[in-house]
Amino acid sequence: MLEKDDFLKWVNASHYMFEIFEGRNDAYPLAKKWIREWSDFGKFIIDERDNGIVNLLIKSFDYDVFRNSNDKIERNDDEWTKFVNEVDRQFKKLIENNLKAGECKNVGFAVAPFLFTWNFQRFKEYFKKRKEDFDIGSYFKDLGNFLSGKKEVLRGFKDKHLIYDEIEKERVKQIFDEINGKLKETGIGNNEPIGTIKLLHVFAPCYFPMIDNDIAKTIGGLLPSKWESLTSDSYLKWMNALKSWLQNYFEVINRLEEEYDSSILKLIDEGLYMMSTVKQRARVARLGIELN
């Protein structure tokens, strides 16, 4: 286990690495801000700055990062280009129609840029398997209508903090399974634990920790096998383990959250993401070292 000073160094180093290579055009801060506004006022405001961030996100999003050379569609340059153009067209249409400067009442569009960009591996499968039947704008509109029906439940977690508040096992399990069920219904009939966890987190960033399958595999003990994914039960196990571990750093957590204006759960996720999920060698080219 890390000593407190080393824990601080790890969080600091991971955060700066994340910001440099992953966070410059991250939709997460916007999603968090918009959801809090919607939770308090029933609508969220898209100002000119927000609109500029979203447009920059669209412009800089690199679909090729998610390309799978073993897939018959994706390994064919012409097929991949055609596929990406259609996905990009729909994503831009969603932004143009629903996230122009002004106000919006459907919270599905508040989470759309964040969920689309950070869970694109799943959306890629929706487009491939449902083809002409899948419309991303309709997907997030439907999701927003569902989340509106869960507003009071989600508000109940909004101001909770994993370190200070108890883990309400039955309530967490219920909302996890309900959101997963909705994503399964609107997707391709598969469980969607990663999308579920990302949604839970942005609605209650200090209470619901993020995790993905790569991190779960690296930590060990959360997945029955490498072919299985997270469930509400394994997520509760993760919440309990993280809560217990963070008690060791109780004295420095407030300082970190204030310094970065971020929940400790988000900062921990950045560190685990950089260690477990990202192939760091792929980022070396971005350093710009040139040999003459």
Side-chain angles (χ1 to χ4, degrees), residues 180-280:
N180 180 63
K182 181 59 180 178
L183 296 182
K184 181 177 181 178
E185 173 196 321
T186 52
I188 52 175
N190 293 340
N191 287 319
E192 301 290 350
I194 308 308
T196 297
I197 290 166
K198 290 186 186 305
L199 283 173
L200 286 172
H201 174 78
V202 290
F203 275 96
C206 294
Y207 189 68
F208 291 118
M210 286 194 281
I211 188 171
D212 61 24
N213 288 325
D214 287 328
I215 294 173
K217 290 172 186 174
T218 303
I219 290 171
L222 289 171
L223 305 178
S225 75
K226 65 180 181 180
W227 295 283
E228 297 189 56
S229 191
L230 292 156
T231 65
S232 54
D233 289 329
S234 54
Y235 184 64
L236 280 162
K237 190 175 181 180
W238 173 236
M239 289 182 74
N240 277 289
L242 201 55
K243 180 181 177 72
S244 176
W245 179 64
L246 287 173
Q247 301 303 318
N248 297 292
Y249 308 109
F250 188 85
E251 297 91 340
V252 299
I253 285 173
N254 280 345
R255 188 199 322 171
L256 286 167
E257 291 188 326
E258 289 177 5
E259 180 177 351
Y260 294 117
D261 190 25
S262 178
S263 75
I264 190 63
L265 302 183
K266 176 62 165 63
L267 295 170
I268 294 299
D269 181 70
E270 290 173 0
L272 294 175
Y273 173 80
M274 298 304 289
M275 295 175 78
S276 307
T277 311
V278 176
K279 293 180 175 62
Q280 294 300 324

Side-chain angles (χ1 to χ4, degrees), residues 74-134:
E74 298 181 39
R75 67 171 172 251
N76 182 294
D77 288 344
D78 290 339
E79 289 293 324
W80 173 247
T81 300
K82 180 181 176 182
F83 174 78
V84 165
N85 286 343
E86 173 57 20
V87 173
D88 193 57
R89 182 191 68 80
Q90 284 205 32
F91 186 40
K92 288 176 178 175
K93 181 180 176 184
L94 178 152
I95 301 301
E96 182 181 345
N97 290 347
N98 302 285
L99 291 174
K100 293 182 290 189
E103 64 180 50
C104 182
K105 294 182 178 180
N106 190 311
V107 73
F109 299 122
V111 301
F114 169 66
L115 202 60
F116 177 80
T117 54
W118 279 104
N119 207 25
F120 182 68
Q121 291 286 17
R122 298 303 299 152
F123 283 98
K124 190 173 68 170
E125 296 304 308
Y126 300 168
F127 279 102
K128 284 198 292 187
K129 293 181 179 178
R130 288 181 54 180
K131 298 181 180 178
E132 292 83 4
D133 177 49
F134 185 73

Side-chain angles (χ1 to χ4, degrees), residues 30-31 60 70 78 82 116 139 141 176 184 205 244:
L30 278 182
S60 63
N70 294 319
D78 290 339
K82 180 181 176 182
F116 177 80
Y139 174 92
K141 181 179 179 180
F176 184 107
K184 181 177 181 178
S244 176

